[in-house]
Amino acid sequence: MKYRNLGKSGLRVSCLGLGTWVTFGGQISDEVAERLMTIAYESGVNLFDTAEVYAAGKAEVILGSIIKKKGWRRSSLVITTKLYWGGKAETERGLSRKHIIEEIVRAMTHVINQGMAMYWGTSRWSAMEIMEAYSVARQFNMIPPVCEQAEYHLFQREKVEVQLPELYHKIGVGAMTWSPLACGIISGKYGNGVPESSRASLKCYQWLKERIVSEEGRKQQNKLKDLSPIAERLGCTLPQLAVAWCLRNEGVSSVLLGSSTPEQLIENLGAIQAIVLPKMTSHVVNEIDNILRNKPYSKKDYRS
Amino acid sequence: MKYRNLGKSGLRVSCLGLGTWVTFGGQISDEVAERLMTIAYESGVNLFDTAEVYAAGKAEVILGSIIKKKGWRRSSLVITTKLYWGGKAETERGLSRKHIIEEIVRAMTHVINQGMAMYWGTSRWSAMEIMEAYSVARQFNMIPPVCEQAEYHLFQREKVEVQLPELYHKIGVGAMTWSPLACGIISGKYGNGVPESSRASLKCYQWLKERIVSEEGRKQQNKLKDLSPIAERLGCTLPQLAVAWCLRNEGVSSVLLGSSTPEQLIENLGAIQAIVLPKMTSHVVNEIDNILRNKPYSKKDYRS
Amino acid sequence: MKYRNLGKSGLRVSCLGLGTWVTFGGQISDEVAERLMTIAYESGVNLFDTAEVYAAGKAEVILGSIIKKKGWRRSSLVITTKLYWGGKAETERGLSRKHIIEEIVRAMTHVINQGMAMYWGTSRWSAMEIMEAYSVARQFNMIPPVCEQAEYHLFQREKVEVQLPELYHKIGVGAMTWSPLACGIISGKYGNGVPESSRASLKCYQWLKERIVSEEGRKQQNKLKDLSPIAERLGCTLPQLAVAWCLRNEGVSSVLLGSSTPEQLIENLGAIQAIVLPKMTSHVVNEIDNILRNKPYSKKDYRS
Amino acid sequence: MKYRNLGKSGLRVSCLGLGTWVTFGGQISDEVAERLMTIAYESGVNLFDTAEVYAAGKAEVILGSIIKKKGWRRSSLVITTKLYWGGKAETERGLSRKHIIEEIVRAMTHVINQGMAMYWGTSRWSAMEIMEAYSVARQFNMIPPVCEQAEYHLFQREKVEVQLPELYHKIGVGAMTWSPLACGIISGKYGNGVPESSRASLKCYQWLKERIVSEEGRKQQNKLKDLSPIAERLGCTLPQLAVAWCLRNEGVSSVLLGSSTPEQLIENLGAIQAIVLPKMTSHVVNEIDNILRNKPYSKKDYRS
């Protein structure tokens, strides 16, 4: 496993983390959850991501009981969780953003000062909101966030490739990305529509099915077909290529994997093996960019 | 129930709250207290107001034991209480207000940092004192107050309509108002003097009786008689009209009701129903203003 | 009993306090200690002064066990104690005073933030050291001291009458004074030398005896003889006159009494009775000044 | 024993401390460890230095159990320990030093605010890193470090004699030095190469052996031979001369001794006796400098 610092903080995280979204306490059994965590931990993964709301609190409980059962030292793990104060929508009805943000920064600083957490970060915040949280923290001598969790994959690049690098260079905030396979869109299994056993066929994932069968979705599947030869040439699978492609971005501290089966997890973890990630040369990356044709334009190149 | 943010904070309070002043532990029995709280809670009220000094501490105890008995989750409730450091009069004998205020802000910040409270506010402070508390909090990086509790009803408008809006816009302090029926003056029962069974006939409410029978008091009763047709036209009672009139002011986060019987409470809670509050159009409000003739003059109109 | 604010803080202290210096755990038995505290408490004294070093820690223990035994509520009492970090002499050997003072202010702020104390003050610090503690507290947003304990009696006036008023007006620091009878010199019992049963005859109070029989000491005894007629005229004893004289200074928040017998304590507490303190008119104070001839010169009159 | 303030802080440390590096939990038995600590404590040593990593945590445990067994009051001791956040090397891979340093200062401030420690200092940091920690602490109102632990002996003088005095004068950081005998090089036992029973003959101290037999090492041994007559003249041993030479520097708060036998410890503690340290006159110091020929050049003389 490779490790990177989370933003400019001193926290070292494995460049691949295990997410528990839509799986723990929901789609998969506790036994599978334990197998997945064991595979990840033994592969050197030290980052496990959960949230209060995942499976109505069950994801956090399952995660904790597995760690306890396995006897892994707490200090060897980085657990990220997410808290919400009431519905987001409420806070947007004409309220002053500055006050709300100050309140959140104050609460997070309190949580850290009480020893309940070591760091705090944001999830799905805009660059401007993060910048505001940072400046409020600086103004009132509170603790600024260290990372932002953002969606990042072959088909969604703008925020992670343009906005977060600037935040990283200015205020040290790192990127922890999720959905490297675009909710399974990049798994390759939707090349010929939506099979019955897939996630997109579930009733509550109607939105995913719609996205796949849309005009835009079909274009994406075509691009994936064009990327397949590259994966084959490198000797890896398409999902491995997609994960490795995320990691080729040095600005990404960790990519959260959300596998639902041991086989999938092992496949995805394979993305950092010698036969994949090191082959992400600028030549290969350019080749991929030529197929994707969605490289965001950035005035400043922080990664030159 | 409708909910509003308390000032510019992230705290969501029901726009009608239940006060325990002069009732809990005093005028009413514990059984009635429980019935009142249950009616309020089931109507969506999440704000309950008490104070250390109400009924010599008994109001706080009764409130707590009812919540425990009913099994309501603490996190679903907003409990406001009030603390005093010695008599107010003492602090005014030529002492430097700035030092006292700094001490209070420091103590409140300590209380919040210790996790004993989430927010703090003031009660019956002047706009200047609140501004001073805010600037002291900013100067020494402490936590500023989020709201002021102020008296507000048809016959007392200056502070809530002129001073607090300015504080809200400048420093985010919200208004939580009490006495929407002016200690019962607006109940309609004093139209023909003070009946024997009313609060104003109690010995310790001699001051209230005097206020009602005074020159000023009789003028108020006359205005109430003029308002009655409007209430009738809207299809509500006079107290409902009075409560809805308070709530028409968007700058008021919550109106604290201090009912002593279930019937009164249900009547007052009715003020937010479809047949009352939404009918508080600018036309109706103007009509009321023409009767009251006490609209305070404000240089700046923050509510245009 | 009369109460005053401690400096510009919100803390109300009785204008007479009970000191435990040289008595509790030393000169007097635990039974006498309890009787003294009971007399004081029942006279309205809410301020009890002790220190870690008094009687090698025993004074603090005795004080605590009496309060517990009597069942007095802790919140009804103001207990002042003193802590030392190593010998004072050490810190003066060419060390930077600023660093040491910052360390003390930081430690005291910590003690208050931990809830172990509510306020902190200094004892026997110079005006410049207090000013430095205040400015360090302001610079680093820590809690400034609220009072200085200083010696104050008919024969020692400079610090309390000239320096502390300036500190009070500039930074709100109040004066809590001790030794109102100048270690017994003003008791009247040394008018004809040092009697065998007195404190000054004890071996460890050799310095006191020397002070009394010195040239300066005899002059003081002569002044006391001249003050006796004034006490007689007012209808009080000389010690009562001396204590009342300290209290006539509005800048003194509290005068600590260090009586060793119930009779003495009752006599001293009598200084605030109607027949003594209110008679400290400017005429009487001038009369006393004419005898003492030691009124310190102050450029600014803060008490006009 | 002599005591000095640690930097400009109020903490008084014995000018000789006992280190547990390479000895406790490693080279020596628990019985010897206890004897060494007892000798040191009874000689007035109040400073004991350890670290989390020494002997994989065993050094800390042994130290603690001896203190408990002997019944020494915790408040009479100064225990210094060292913590690491992951490998140092990681933090140097192109990361922003400022962020990491801010994180360390924040963590140390937290540790002190939680009451887990009273002070914090650095070990083997560069002057620039210490200065940065200080300025970060000042900027965000956190607690600055009070001392730096640095290597200091006859053959390594630059940092302690040139850089740390400037830090002491500017920000009050004191010097706690270690390795006064240069890992045994100054013991005199390597004058004729490396004997079999010495530390340098151990396999894991290959680097030490190499240093001794190197060109530079032989020059050092020659200088030691030249210093012997001075030691003889003063009536002390060469190691005593070396320790006393460190202590002649008033900027050194404490010299940590790392003896492995009671005899060695007693010999080294002897350096502060009347027959050694007081004889470190400027004449003797000059004589030594003439032999060493390594006095670092400093623009400013803070010790004149």
Side-chain angles (χ1 to χ4, degrees):
Chain A
M1 183 55 57
K2 284 164 61 87
Y3 299 87
R4 293 179 179 174
N5 279 63
L6 187 53
K8 290 188 185 168
S9 83
L11 186 63
R12 302 285 293 176
V13 292
S14 53
C15 70
L16 288 176
L18 184 63
T20 62
W21 184 46
V22 302
T23 53
F24 280 49
Q27 232 181 354
I28 61 171
S29 69
D30 293 7
E31 287 68 35
V32 174
E34 183 178 334
R35 282 190 56 201
L36 292 174
M37 282 192 67
T38 306
I39 289 167
Y41 186 79
E42 290 176 355
S43 303
V45 168
N46 72 0
L47 174 63
F48 297 88
D49 180 62
T50 184
E52 245 192 340
V53 292
Y54 291 177
K58 274 202 290 183
E60 280 193 342
V61 173
I62 293 169
L63 190 75
S65 55
I66 293 172
I67 291 168
K68 197 172 175 185
K69 185 181 171 191
K70 305 294 288 190
W72 298 330
R73 276 178 305 111
R74 178 63 184 83
S75 58
S76 69
L77 302 167
V78 177
I79 314 286
T80 54
T81 190
K82 288 161 226 89
L83 309 170
Y84 300 83
W85 293 267
K88 178 98 194 214
E90 298 286 2
T91 65
E92 290 171 345
R93 289 187 202 154
L95 285 171
S96 160
R97 203 180 52 253
K98 181 168 174 302
H99 278 262
I100 302 290
I101 285 182
E102 180 185 334
E103 203 172 311
I104 292 171
V105 178
R106 209 170 273 284
M108 290 293 92
T109 299
H110 178 73
V111 159
I112 290 169
N113 284 341
Q114 293 298 303
M116 291 182 272
M118 302 291 275
Y119 297 89
W120 78 277
T122 58
S123 183
R124 309 179 81 167
W125 285 32
S126 74
M128 191 181 151
E129 286 169 329
I130 295 166
M131 198 64 216
E132 196 154 9
Y134 178 83
S135 76
V136 161
R138 285 314 187 200
Q139 186 183 353
F140 302 121
N141 194 16
M142 301 188 290
I143 303 176
V146 295
C147 72
E148 154 72 8
Q149 283 194 350
E151 192 175 352
Y152 184 47
H153 49 72
L154 294 169
F155 304 123
Q156 182 142 339
R157 307 173 58 171
E158 172 79 16
K159 187 174 182 185
V160 171
E161 298 191 8
V162 179
Q163 296 169 34
L164 295 186
E166 203 166 340
L167 283 179
Y168 173 81
H169 284 276
K170 283 189 178 149
I171 63 177
V173 160
M176 192 180 279
T177 71
W178 43 274
S179 225
L181 304 182
C183 298
I185 287 174
I186 307 175
S187 65
K189 61 184 154 206
Y190 299 117
N192 299 308
V194 177
E196 269 187 31
S197 63
S198 66
R199 198 196 285 177
S201 71
L202 294 173
K203 204 164 181 187
C204 52
Y205 282 94
Q206 182 66 20
W207 59 268
L208 185 56
K209 185 176 179 177
E210 280 166 14
R211 204 202 282 178
I212 293 166
V213 300
S214 71
E215 172 72 25
E216 179 68 20
R218 273 182 294 119
K219 277 188 193 164
Q220 290 174 351
Q221 292 300 328
N222 286 335
K223 286 180 182 177
L224 292 177
K225 276 183 192 135
D226 292 346
L227 289 172
S228 286
I230 300 177
E232 271 172 48
R233 203 177 70 224
L234 298 180
C236 66
T237 66
L238 189 58
Q240 286 178 330
L241 183 77
V243 171
W245 177 86
C246 292
L247 284 172
R248 74 148 198 334
N249 183 338
E250 292 286 330
V252 171
S253 295
S254 192
V255 170
L256 298 174
L257 305 172
S259 321
S260 60
T261 67
E263 292 71 31
Q264 251 181 43
L265 179 58
I266 290 167
E267 179 187 348
N268 294 344
L269 287 170
I272 59 150
Q273 289 176 323
I275 57 160
V276 192
L277 187 52
K279 291 184 183 168
M280 279 290 145
T281 58
S282 58
H283 175 74
V284 171
V285 168
N286 281 339
E287 218 179 336
I288 294 171
D289 273 336
N290 288 336
I291 292 166
L292 295 175
R293 293 178 182 279
N294 63 356
K295 188 176 180 180
Y297 171 73
S298 171
K299 282 184 208 157
K300 296 177 189 166
D301 187 2
Y302 293 107
R303 312 282 167 186
S304 62
Chain B
M1 182 55 56
K2 284 164 61 87
Y3 298 88
R4 293 178 179 174
N5 279 63
L6 188 52
K8 291 188 184 167
S9 82
L11 187 62
R12 302 286 293 177
V13 293
S14 53
C15 71
L16 289 176
L18 183 63
T20 63
W21 184 47
V22 302
T23 54
F24 279 49
Q27 233 181 354
I28 63 170
S29 69
D30 292 7
E31 287 69 35
V32 173
E34 183 177 333
R35 281 190 56 200
L36 292 174
M37 282 192 66
T38 306
I39 290 167
Y41 187 79
E42 292 177 353
S43 303
V45 168
N46 73 1
L47 174 62
F48 296 88
D49 179 64
T50 184
E52 245 192 340
V53 291
Y54 292 177
K58 274 202 289 183
E60 280 194 342
V61 173
I62 292 169
L63 192 74
S65 55
I66 292 171
I67 292 168
K68 198 173 173 185
K69 185 180 170 192
K70 304 294 288 190
W72 298 331
R73 275 176 305 111
R74 178 63 184 84
S75 59
S76 69
L77 303 166
V78 177
I79 313 285
T80 54
T81 190
K82 289 163 225 86
L83 309 170
Y84 300 82
W85 292 267
K88 178 97 195 214
E90 298 285 2
T91 64
E92 289 171 344
R93 288 188 202 152
L95 284 171
S96 160
R97 203 180 50 253
K98 182 167 172 304
H99 278 262
I100 302 290
I101 284 182
E102 181 186 334
E103 201 172 312
I104 291 170
V105 178
R106 210 169 272 285
M108 289 294 93
T109 299
H110 178 73
V111 159
I112 290 169
N113 284 341
Q114 292 299 304
M116 291 182 271
M118 302 290 276
Y119 297 89
W120 78 278
T122 58
S123 183
R124 309 179 80 166
W125 285 32
S126 74
M128 191 182 151
E129 286 170 327
I130 296 166
M131 198 65 216
E132 196 153 9
Y134 178 82
S135 75
V136 161
R138 285 314 187 200
Q139 186 183 354
F140 302 121
N141 194 18
M142 300 189 290
I143 303 175
V146 295
C147 72
E148 155 71 9
Q149 283 195 350
E151 192 176 351
Y152 183 48
H153 50 70
L154 294 168
F155 304 123
Q156 182 141 340
R157 308 172 57 170
E158 172 78 16
K159 187 174 182 184
V160 171
E161 297 191 9
V162 178
Q163 296 169 34
L164 295 186
E166 204 167 338
L167 283 179
Y168 172 81
H169 284 275
K170 284 188 179 149
I171 63 177
V173 160
M176 192 181 278
T177 70
W178 43 275
S179 224
L181 303 182
C183 297
I185 287 173
I186 307 174
S187 66
K189 61 185 155 204
Y190 299 118
N192 298 308
V194 177
E196 270 187 30
S197 64
S198 66
R199 196 196 286 177
S201 70
L202 295 172
K203 206 167 179 184
C204 52
Y205 282 94
Q206 182 64 22
W207 59 269
L208 184 56
K209 184 174 181 178
E210 280 165 15
R211 205 202 281 178
I212 293 166
V213 300
S214 70
E215 171 73 23
E216 179 68 19
R218 273 181 296 119
K219 278 188 192 163
Q220 290 174 350
Q221 292 301 327
N222 285 336
K223 287 179 182 177
L224 293 177
K225 276 183 192 133
D226 293 345
L227 288 173
S228 286
I230 300 177
E232 271 173 46
R233 204 179 67 222
L234 298 181
C236 66
T237 66
L238 189 59
Q240 285 179 328
L241 183 77
V243 171
W245 177 87
C246 292
L247 284 173
R248 76 156 197 326
N249 183 338
E250 292 288 329
V252 172
S253 295
S254 193
V255 170
L256 297 174
L257 305 172
S259 322
S260 59
T261 67
E263 293 70 31
Q264 252 181 42
L265 179 58
I266 291 166
E267 180 187 348
N268 294 345
L269 286 171
I272 58 150
Q273 290 177 323
I275 57 160
V276 192
L277 187 52
K279 293 184 182 169
M280 279 290 144
T281 59
S282 58
H283 175 74
V284 171
V285 169
N286 281 339
E287 219 179 337
I288 293 172
D289 273 337
N290 287 336
I291 292 166
L292 295 175
R293 293 179 181 281
N294 63 354
K295 187 175 181 181
Y297 172 74
S298 171
K299 282 184 209 158
K300 296 177 190 167
D301 187 1
Y302 293 107
R303 313 283 167 186
S304 62
Chain C
M1 182 55 56
K2 284 163 62 84
Y3 298 86
R4 293 177 179 174
N5 279 63
L6 187 53
K8 290 187 184 168
S9 83
L11 186 63
R12 302 286 294 175
V13 292
S14 54
C15 71
L16 288 177
L18 184 63
T20 62
W21 184 45
V22 302
T23 53
F24 279 50
Q27 233 181 355
I28 63 170
S29 70
D30 292 7
E31 286 70 34
V32 173
E34 184 178 332
R35 282 190 56 202
L36 292 174
M37 281 192 68
T38 307
I39 290 167
Y41 186 80
E42 292 176 352
S43 303
V45 168
N46 73 1
L47 175 61
F48 296 88
D49 180 63
T50 184
E52 246 193 339
V53 292
Y54 292 176
K58 274 202 289 183
E60 280 193 342
V61 173
I62 293 169
L63 190 76
S65 55
I66 292 172
I67 291 169
K68 198 173 174 184
K69 185 180 170 191
K70 304 294 289 191
W72 298 331
R73 277 177 304 113
R74 178 62 183 84
S75 59
S76 69
L77 302 167
V78 178
I79 313 286
T80 54
T81 189
K82 289 162 226 88
L83 309 170
Y84 299 83
W85 293 267
K88 177 97 193 216
E90 299 284 3
T91 64
E92 289 171 344
R93 288 188 202 152
L95 283 171
S96 160
R97 202 180 51 251
K98 181 166 173 304
H99 278 262
I100 302 290
I101 284 181
E102 180 186 335
E103 201 171 311
I104 291 171
V105 178
R106 210 171 271 284
M108 290 292 91
T109 298
H110 178 73
V111 160
I112 289 169
N113 284 341
Q114 293 298 304
M116 291 183 272
M118 301 290 276
Y119 297 90
W120 78 278
T122 58
S123 183
R124 309 179 80 166
W125 285 32
S126 74
M128 191 182 151
E129 286 169 329
I130 295 167
M131 197 66 215
E132 197 153 8
Y134 177 83
S135 76
V136 161
R138 285 314 187 201
Q139 187 183 353
F140 301 121
N141 194 16
M142 301 189 289
I143 303 175
V146 295
C147 72
E148 155 71 8
Q149 282 194 349
E151 192 175 352
Y152 183 48
H153 49 70
L154 293 169
F155 305 124
Q156 181 140 340
R157 307 174 58 171
E158 172 78 16
K159 187 174 182 185
V160 171
E161 298 191 7
V162 178
Q163 296 169 34
L164 294 186
E166 204 167 338
L167 284 179
Y168 173 80
H169 285 276
K170 283 189 179 149
I171 63 176
V173 161
M176 192 182 278
T177 70
W178 44 274
S179 225
L181 303 182
C183 296
I185 286 174
I186 307 175
S187 65
K189 62 185 154 206
Y190 299 118
N192 298 308
V194 177
E196 270 186 29
S197 64
S198 67
R199 196 196 287 177
S201 71
L202 294 173
K203 205 165 180 186
C204 52
Y205 282 95
Q206 181 64 22
W207 58 270
L208 184 56
K209 184 176 180 177
E210 279 165 15
R211 204 202 279 178
I212 293 166
V213 301
S214 71
E215 173 71 24
E216 179 67 20
R218 274 181 295 119
K219 278 187 192 163
Q220 290 175 349
Q221 291 300 327
N222 286 336
K223 288 179 181 177
L224 293 177
K225 276 184 193 134
D226 293 343
L227 289 173
S228 287
I230 299 177
E232 271 173 46
R233 205 177 68 223
L234 297 181
C236 67
T237 66
L238 189 57
Q240 287 179 327
L241 183 76
V243 171
W245 177 87
C246 292
L247 284 173
R248 76 154 198 329
N249 183 339
E250 291 287 329
V252 171
S253 294
S254 191
V255 170
L256 298 174
L257 305 172
S259 321
S260 59
T261 67
E263 293 71 30
Q264 252 181 42
L265 179 58
I266 290 166
E267 180 188 349
N268 294 345
L269 287 171
I272 59 149
Q273 291 177 323
I275 58 161
V276 191
L277 186 52
K279 292 183 181 168
M280 279 290 144
T281 58
S282 58
H283 175 74
V284 171
V285 169
N286 281 339
E287 220 180 334
I288 293 171
D289 273 336
N290 288 336
I291 292 166
L292 295 175
R293 293 176 182 282
N294 64 354
K295 188 177 180 178
Y297 172 73
S298 171
K299 283 184 208 157
K300 296 177 189 166
D301 188 1
Y302 292 105
R303 313 282 168 186
S304 62
Chain D
M1 182 55 56
K2 283 164 63 85
Y3 299 87
R4 293 177 179 174
N5 279 63
L6 187 54
K8 290 188 185 169
S9 82
L11 186 64
R12 302 286 294 176
V13 292
S14 54
C15 70
L16 289 176
L18 184 64
T20 63
W21 184 46
V22 303
T23 53
F24 279 50
Q27 230 180 357
I28 62 171
S29 69
D30 292 5
E31 287 69 35
V32 173
E34 184 178 332
R35 282 190 56 201
L36 292 174
M37 281 192 67
T38 306
I39 290 167
Y41 186 80
E42 291 176 354
S43 302
V45 168
N46 74 359
L47 175 61
F48 296 87
D49 180 64
T50 184
E52 247 193 339
V53 292
Y54 291 177
K58 275 202 290 182
E60 280 194 342
V61 173
I62 293 169
L63 191 75
S65 55
I66 292 171
I67 291 169
K68 197 172 174 185
K69 184 179 170 191
K70 303 294 289 190
W72 298 331
R73 277 176 305 112
R74 179 62 183 85
S75 60
S76 69
L77 302 167
V78 178
I79 314 285
T80 55
T81 190
K82 288 160 227 90
L83 309 170
Y84 299 83
W85 293 266
K88 178 97 193 213
E90 300 284 2
T91 65
E92 291 170 344
R93 287 189 203 152
L95 285 171
S96 161
R97 202 180 50 253
K98 183 168 172 303
H99 277 262
I100 302 290
I101 285 183
E102 181 186 334
E103 202 172 311
I104 291 171
V105 178
R106 211 170 270 284
M108 289 292 92
T109 299
H110 178 73
V111 159
I112 290 170
N113 284 341
Q114 293 298 305
M116 291 182 272
M118 302 290 276
Y119 297 89
W120 78 279
T122 57
S123 183
R124 310 179 79 165
W125 285 32
S126 74
M128 190 182 151
E129 286 169 328
I130 296 167
M131 197 65 214
E132 196 154 7
Y134 178 83
S135 76
V136 161
R138 286 315 187 197
Q139 186 183 353
F140 302 121
N141 194 17
M142 301 189 290
I143 303 176
V146 295
C147 72
E148 154 72 8
Q149 282 195 350
E151 192 175 352
Y152 183 46
H153 49 71
L154 294 168
F155 303 123
Q156 182 141 338
R157 308 173 57 170
E158 172 78 15
K159 186 174 183 184
V160 171
E161 298 191 7
V162 178
Q163 296 169 34
L164 294 186
E166 204 166 339
L167 283 180
Y168 172 81
H169 285 275
K170 284 188 179 150
I171 62 176
V173 160
M176 193 181 278
T177 71
W178 44 274
S179 224
L181 304 182
C183 296
I185 287 173
I186 307 176
S187 65
K189 61 184 155 206
Y190 299 117
N192 298 309
V194 176
E196 270 187 30
S197 65
S198 67
R199 195 196 287 176
S201 71
L202 294 173
K203 204 164 180 185
C204 52
Y205 282 94
Q206 182 64 20
W207 58 270
L208 184 57
K209 184 175 180 177
E210 279 165 16
R211 204 203 279 178
I212 293 166
V213 301
S214 71
E215 172 70 24
E216 180 67 19
R218 273 182 294 120
K219 278 188 191 163
Q220 289 175 351
Q221 292 300 327
N222 286 335
K223 287 179 182 178
L224 292 177
K225 275 182 193 137
D226 293 345
L227 289 173
S228 286
I230 300 178
E232 270 173 49
R233 204 177 68 223
L234 299 181
C236 65
T237 66
L238 190 58
Q240 286 179 328
L241 183 77
V243 171
W245 177 87
C246 292
L247 284 172
R248 73 145 199 336
N249 183 339
E250 292 288 329
V252 172
S253 295
S254 192
V255 170
L256 298 174
L257 305 173
S259 322
S260 60
T261 67
E263 294 70 31
Q264 250 181 44
L265 178 58
I266 290 167
E267 179 187 349
N268 293 345
L269 286 171
I272 59 149
Q273 290 177 323
I275 58 162
V276 191
L277 186 53
K279 292 183 181 168
M280 278 290 144
T281 58
S282 59
H283 175 73
V284 171
V285 169
N286 282 339
E287 218 179 336
I288 294 172
D289 272 337
N290 287 337
I291 291 166
L292 295 175
R293 292 178 182 279
N294 63 354
K295 187 177 180 179
Y297 172 73
S298 171
K299 282 183 207 157
K300 296 178 189 165
D301 187 1
Y302 292 105
R303 314 281 168 187
S304 64

